[in-house]
Amino acid sequence: MQTYLYLLIAVVFETFGSSCLQASQQFTRFWPSVGVIVGFGAAFWFFTLVLKVLPLGVTYALWSGIGMVLIALSGWVLFGQKLDLAATFGIGLIIAGIVVINLFSNSSTH
């Protein structure tokens, strides 16, 4: 369970770093630029802790899937970016894939 907590923390830091990347306006704003470095640095550190237990393919699939969902929500909430029906449907498929991996794959257990 601790492994999945580390994965979630990694994804939250990655979401923070990506949101700061948008807010940095191509690294022209100091504090958001610092947030990019802190966010991605912490995200990758927690990601390495997860890789001690889970295989790379499963870890990356979960990391990127959960991250895409959180980034889409972040873009919508923080930056007013709209999602059309196709994007919403695609995000739903990503969530379904995450559920399938966690419920049915023996690769995701440790």
Side-chain angles (χ1 to χ4, degrees), residues 12-92:
V12 168
F13 272 116
E14 187 266 338
T15 302
F16 173 75
S18 294
S19 297
C20 286
L21 189 60
Q22 174 74 36
S24 77
Q25 298 177 358
Q26 293 75 39
F27 295 108
T28 60
R29 298 178 62 213
F30 180 75
W31 288 113
S33 298
V34 170
V36 171
I37 295 165
V38 170
F40 282 112
F44 285 120
W45 186 75
F46 279 100
F47 188 72
T48 62
L49 297 178
V50 176
L51 288 175
K52 290 180 179 181
V53 178
L54 295 178
L56 176 62
V58 169
T59 302
Y60 195 77
L62 295 173
W63 155 289
S64 60
I66 297 167
M68 281 187 266
V69 171
L70 291 181
I71 285 298
L73 290 172
S74 172
W76 177 58
V77 170
L78 298 175
F79 303 108
Q81 298 171 347
K82 307 284 188 223
L83 297 173
D84 61 12
L85 183 60
T88 304
F89 180 71
I91 289 170

